[in-house]
Amino acid sequence: MENFTFWNPTRIEFGIDKEKEIGKHLEANGIKKVLLAYGSERIKKDGLFDTVAASLKAHNIAFVELGGIVSNPLLSKVYEGISVAKAHNVDAILAVGGGSVLDSSKAIAAGALTENDVWDFFLGKATVEKALPIFDIITLAATGSEMNHGAVITNDATHQKYFIQAPALFPKVSIINPQLQSSVSKEYLVYSASDVIAHCIEGYFTATTHPLFISKQIEVIITTVMETTEKLLENPNDDEARGEFAWAATCALNGLTHVGVAGIGFPNHMIEHAISAMCNIPHGAGLSIVMPAWMKWYRQYNETQFTRFATTIFGQKSAEEGIEALEAWFRKIGTPTKFSEYGIEEKSLPVIIENAVDNAHYFGMEKVYTKEVIAEILKNAL
Amino acid sequence: MENFTFWNPTRIEFGIDKEKEIGKHLEANGIKKVLLAYGSERIKKDGLFDTVAASLKAHNIAFVELGGIVSNPLLSKVYEGISVAKAHNVDAILAVGGGSVLDSSKAIAAGALTENDVWDFFLGKATVEKALPIFDIITLAATGSEMNHGAVITNDATHQKYFIQAPALFPKVSIINPQLQSSVSKEYLVYSASDVIAHCIEGYFTATTHPLFISKQIEVIITTVMETTEKLLENPNDDEARGEFAWAATCALNGLTHVGVAGIGFPNHMIEHAISAMCNIPHGAGLSIVMPAWMKWYRQYNETQFTRFATTIFGQKSAEEGIEALEAWFRKIGTPTKFSEYGIEEKSLPVIIENAVDNAHYFGMEKVYTKEVIAEILKNAL
């Protein structure tokens, strides 16, 4: 195992009715006023907004709203949130929604404590040293943002989908009530499954050092996500499956699957970010298109691990069979595996490739992921 | 999954030479003077003491020593440590050693900030609300104390081996350099393996609710410990195996294997504490005697999980075969499975049983673990 530091101070409050305690947790952290960030108006119809508002009121916590955060969340909305947070002098950000709402909240939390452009953090021109404390009620299990210190935002002016990471961005308290996630559509469930599997396989395949213990832990997350996804497609109200799915999603990107490994990269995310920043397709859907395509190309560099994957996850013998089985499973659950499913044709590839090459530089992978290599990978998804 | 709270703020610094940075971490936490707790004088011969002292000096951190902490650590030594800590007005406790040193340090850290008897915390007469900050360099992977908030101490006057748990007892920084553990004797390696497996199976078998995801995570820890123990018995200098063993030991009791479960107990620890408090045999050795004996009795209450264990860990079909395979594996690695290996005969059982019955009350399991039941279990180990 390689040397590592592991530190994850986020308090997880998992389970039924935990959202009703949000006011208590805020008060315990000395918070008096929050920016309440959310996505669509759905939370006002389904009662979650009222539940949160009642809990805040019961603990004398004031709030100002920031609604309308979209999937593939936008920098323009982050700027708006920073303005509101500063104008109202809030003590904290409370995200109520999925990964997009939480990632936007993290960016707002960092931006609220600087006079500089928050995008500078994403460009690496400045480092996030401090941020307003972040709290969340996560309503979609997928990104793992509820237990990590990263955030991904799309600059709507430049189509750059970039990220920040900093210790100050760990949420203080993350509330995960799986029942709140039972209204997630079938489409977003399978995109989420794809996203979690992507978080698992990036390090699993790309690491130059990968302890067997860590490989095994990742395989357990993958099989759990696959099994529970199938159960939830049959019965969206299977609370046990919903809970295990949610917790597996959190565990896939809370740092523990990356300890002791060396040399990992996130090439699938690098390529997918280039696609969704251009075409605005759901992140998980983009990933289920990219993964098989990338695996067919990358397999040659880690045949041993690909063979292990095939055997452990699918009971197959060869690396090739494992990739085919994953692609078949994606088709089975109904997440796309080809560009054509979004009407993206070969003639659209050059602009995506150009954006992916830019991303390769951003991810520090430009030596391997040249224009030619990215083109070869993307052609596998046509 | 059941509702749960998970919070674990310990910073793990894992890897080669990490002990050289202890001064840096103490300084970063504002520490000026520590109580340096350790066990035998071995750390003065093998250079670790000098390494630590040099790092403290480089960061202007004064220290007072408390050596001589023994396995199955004693309350009398904890009292001595509290006196020293108070007399020298230290800011923190630095444990350099195994679980016994660290558990003693946690008790000292709590006792140093109260005027009451520290044993009251163990008796449940008082709650640990605060403690001096705890830092450690762990030289034996087994107890998991380096990433949890518990400590076990034996009252040498009463032969009670009791525990405390409190958020204030999470170490601030735990340093795990697997290479420091390569001088651990073959005996203590296999006792450690037994201890880690015990931490795994307690919840695995006793929980009334046990999510499949958590079962699978535990199985991965068990197989990792088994595989790496065998490798280390062949080659104590197998750094990769040493590292994975150490990290698996930490993961076995850092809270993550207990999330979402319900109704778990620690009957094997309850019984073993009664044995080692009376006979002073190594904790892990006591556990490898108790576990098969307990499993033979308890199996009837959770045949399904015992069958799963047999299949997953040993490729066996029945619960009975799984228990036999575990016992055979303990014999294979050289950790005891019968009382006779320590010269404990049937005539010695009554006093152990009496102590175990006392422990059953302490653990809140007296309704199930009556004198008769404990006698039945212990007879399986004769």
Side-chain angles (χ1 to χ4, degrees):
Chain A
M1 292 182 83
E2 303 291 323
N3 283 15
F4 68 83
T5 296
F6 179 80
W7 180 66
N8 191 322
T10 298
R11 172 184 291 270
I12 299 290
E13 294 288 349
F14 185 103
I16 295 167
D17 287 343
K18 288 278 190 170
E19 69 277 11
K20 294 179 181 170
E21 298 173 357
I22 185 63
K24 182 186 81 177
H25 296 297
L26 289 162
E27 187 181 11
N29 280 274
I31 307 301
K32 306 277 188 197
K33 188 195 277 187
V34 299
L35 177 71
L36 199 173
Y38 58 94
S40 77
E41 295 296 305
R42 202 183 71 180
I43 66 164
K44 294 202 172 170
K45 293 175 194 153
D46 65 16
L48 179 56
F49 184 91
D50 290 342
T51 301
V52 171
S55 180
L56 296 180
K57 190 179 176 191
H59 293 270
N60 297 311
I61 293 158
F63 66 91
V64 286
E65 292 183 41
L66 181 79
I69 295 168
V70 296
S71 297
N72 297 316
L74 298 172
L75 180 61
S76 53
K77 195 75 186 179
V78 169
Y79 286 145
E80 182 188 337
I82 293 168
S83 294
V84 176
K86 285 182 175 178
H88 290 268
N89 207 17
V90 301
D91 309 321
I93 316 292
L94 170 58
V96 180
S100 296
V101 175
L102 180 48
D103 282 9
S104 299
S105 296
K106 289 179 175 178
I108 293 166
L113 296 187
T114 178
E115 291 309 311
N116 296 324
D117 184 352
V118 71
W119 192 244
D120 284 353
F121 295 134
F122 291 81
L123 292 173
K125 289 184 183 173
T127 305
V128 177
E129 301 288 354
K130 56 187 177 173
L132 288 175
I134 299 150
F135 299 78
D136 62 271
I137 297 169
I138 203 83
T139 59
L140 180 72
T143 67
S145 189
E146 64 276 13
M147 202 178 175
N148 69 40
H149 64 348
V152 179
I153 297 292
T154 298
N155 184 326
D156 21 354
T158 64
H159 293 292
Q160 291 166 315
K161 190 171 183 177
Y162 282 5
F163 63 88
I164 46 174
Q165 285 186 316
L169 299 180
F170 277 111
K172 293 285 176 214
V173 179
S174 284
I175 289 173
I176 309 172
N177 174 355
Q179 284 190 344
L180 292 179
Q181 306 182 0
S182 57
S183 59
V184 166
S185 69
K186 185 195 150 186
E187 286 67 30
Y188 267 86
L189 169 67
V190 300
Y191 301 157
S192 299
S194 163
D195 195 9
V196 179
I197 289 172
H199 295 155
C200 290
I201 65 145
E202 295 274 34
Y204 184 87
F205 288 125
T206 61
T208 49
T209 300
H210 209 266
L212 184 57
F213 181 35
I214 308 300
S215 290
K216 290 200 248 176
Q217 288 178 311
I218 292 173
E219 287 155 3
V220 161
I221 297 173
I222 294 173
T223 59
T224 299
V225 167
M226 291 177 65
E227 288 157 11
T228 54
T229 298
E230 294 187 13
K231 285 180 181 172
L232 290 169
L233 287 174
E234 277 190 23
N235 175 15
N237 297 314
D238 183 335
D239 284 343
E240 182 60 27
R242 187 72 65 180
E244 294 201 24
F245 183 96
W247 185 236
T250 303
C251 292
L253 206 59
N254 68 0
L256 282 169
T257 60
H258 293 155
V259 300
V261 309
I264 67 168
F266 282 76
N268 292 278
H269 280 75
M270 175 196 87
I271 296 170
E272 196 292 317
H273 286 182
I275 299 169
S276 56
M278 300 303 294
C279 310
N280 196 30
I281 67 176
H283 177 52
L287 283 166
S288 61
I289 293 171
V290 171
M291 277 188 277
W294 173 81
M295 291 167 92
K296 286 169 192 171
W297 171 78
Y298 190 77
R299 178 191 127 192
Q300 60 191 317
Y301 299 108
N302 199 352
E303 190 82 18
T304 308
Q305 191 77 336
F306 273 89
T307 306
R308 181 181 166 85
F309 176 81
T311 307
T312 313
I313 308 294
F314 293 105
Q316 300 290 333
K317 283 184 184 160
S318 72
E320 189 180 359
E321 288 170 321
I323 298 167
E324 281 171 9
L326 179 65
E327 190 170 359
W329 187 78
F330 283 150
R331 282 196 301 270
K332 178 182 158 188
I333 63 169
T335 186
T337 59
K338 298 293 177 193
F339 279 126
S340 56
E341 295 171 67
Y342 279 104
I344 299 171
E345 296 172 14
E346 189 162 10
K347 66 183 180 192
S348 309
L349 288 194
V351 65
I352 292 174
I353 292 168
E354 196 177 326
N355 204 21
V357 169
D358 174 73
N359 260 5
H361 280 86
Y362 182 67
F363 277 70
M365 296 195 282
E366 71 279 7
K367 284 189 184 166
V368 175
Y369 291 89
T370 60
K371 189 175 173 180
E372 291 70 30
V373 164
I374 292 168
E376 189 182 338
I377 293 168
L378 291 183
K379 279 185 182 170
N380 289 337
L382 281 171
Chain B
M1 293 183 82
E2 302 291 322
N3 283 15
F4 68 84
T5 295
F6 178 81
W7 180 66
N8 191 320
T10 298
R11 173 184 290 270
I12 299 290
E13 293 287 348
F14 185 103
I16 295 167
D17 287 344
K18 288 277 191 170
E19 68 278 11
K20 294 180 181 170
E21 298 173 357
I22 184 62
K24 182 186 79 175
H25 296 296
L26 288 162
E27 187 181 12
N29 280 274
I31 307 300
K32 306 275 189 198
K33 189 195 278 189
V34 300
L35 177 70
L36 198 172
Y38 58 94
S40 77
E41 295 297 305
R42 201 184 73 182
I43 66 164
K44 294 201 172 171
K45 293 175 193 152
D46 65 16
L48 179 56
F49 184 91
D50 290 343
T51 301
V52 171
S55 180
L56 297 180
K57 190 178 175 190
H59 291 270
N60 297 311
I61 294 159
F63 66 91
V64 286
E65 291 182 41
L66 180 79
I69 295 169
V70 296
S71 297
N72 296 319
L74 300 171
L75 179 61
S76 53
K77 195 75 188 179
V78 169
Y79 286 145
E80 182 188 337
I82 293 169
S83 294
V84 177
K86 286 182 174 177
H88 291 269
N89 207 17
V90 301
D91 309 320
I93 316 292
L94 170 59
V96 181
S100 296
V101 175
L102 180 47
D103 282 9
S104 300
S105 297
K106 288 179 176 178
I108 294 166
L113 295 188
T114 177
E115 291 309 310
N116 297 324
D117 185 352
V118 71
W119 192 245
D120 285 353
F121 295 134
F122 291 81
L123 293 173
K125 290 183 183 172
T127 304
V128 178
E129 301 287 356
K130 55 188 177 174
L132 288 174
I134 298 149
F135 298 78
D136 63 272
I137 298 168
I138 203 84
T139 60
L140 181 72
T143 68
S145 190
E146 65 275 13
M147 202 177 174
N148 68 41
H149 63 349
V152 179
I153 296 292
T154 297
N155 184 326
D156 20 353
T158 64
H159 293 292
Q160 292 167 313
K161 189 170 184 177
Y162 283 4
F163 62 88
I164 45 174
Q165 285 185 316
L169 300 179
F170 278 110
K172 293 283 177 217
V173 179
S174 285
I175 289 173
I176 309 171
N177 175 355
Q179 283 190 345
L180 292 178
Q181 307 183 358
S182 57
S183 59
V184 167
S185 70
K186 182 193 152 188
E187 285 69 29
Y188 268 86
L189 170 66
V190 300
Y191 302 158
S192 300
S194 163
D195 195 9
V196 179
I197 289 172
H199 295 155
C200 290
I201 65 145
E202 295 275 34
Y204 184 87
F205 288 125
T206 62
T208 49
T209 301
H210 210 267
L212 183 58
F213 181 36
I214 307 300
S215 290
K216 291 201 247 176
Q217 288 177 312
I218 291 173
E219 287 155 3
V220 161
I221 297 173
I222 294 173
T223 59
T224 298
V225 166
M226 291 178 65
E227 288 158 9
T228 53
T229 299
E230 295 187 15
K231 285 181 183 173
L232 290 169
L233 287 172
E234 277 189 25
N235 175 16
N237 297 314
D238 183 336
D239 285 343
E240 182 60 26
R242 187 71 67 181
E244 294 201 23
F245 183 97
W247 185 235
T250 303
C251 292
L253 206 60
N254 67 0
L256 282 170
T257 60
H258 293 156
V259 299
V261 309
I264 67 167
F266 283 76
N268 293 278
H269 279 76
M270 175 196 87
I271 297 170
E272 196 292 316
H273 286 182
I275 299 169
S276 57
M278 300 303 293
C279 310
N280 197 29
I281 67 175
H283 177 55
L287 283 167
S288 60
I289 292 170
V290 171
M291 277 187 278
W294 174 81
M295 291 167 92
K296 285 169 193 171
W297 172 77
Y298 190 78
R299 177 191 127 192
Q300 59 192 317
Y301 300 107
N302 198 353
E303 191 82 19
T304 308
Q305 189 79 334
F306 274 90
T307 306
R308 180 181 166 87
F309 176 80
T311 307
T312 313
I313 308 294
F314 293 106
Q316 298 292 331
K317 283 184 185 161
S318 72
E320 189 180 0
E321 288 170 321
I323 298 168
E324 281 172 9
L326 179 65
E327 190 170 359
W329 187 77
F330 282 152
R331 283 198 300 271
K332 177 182 160 190
I333 64 169
T335 186
T337 58
K338 298 293 177 193
F339 280 126
S340 56
E341 295 171 67
Y342 279 104
I344 299 171
E345 297 172 12
E346 190 162 8
K347 65 184 180 191
S348 309
L349 288 194
V351 67
I352 292 175
I353 292 168
E354 197 177 325
N355 205 20
V357 169
D358 174 75
N359 260 5
H361 281 86
Y362 181 67
F363 277 72
M365 295 194 283
E366 70 278 7
K367 285 190 182 164
V368 175
Y369 291 89
T370 61
K371 189 175 173 180
E372 291 70 29
V373 164
I374 292 168
E376 189 183 338
I377 293 168
L378 290 182
K379 278 185 183 171
N380 289 338
L382 282 171

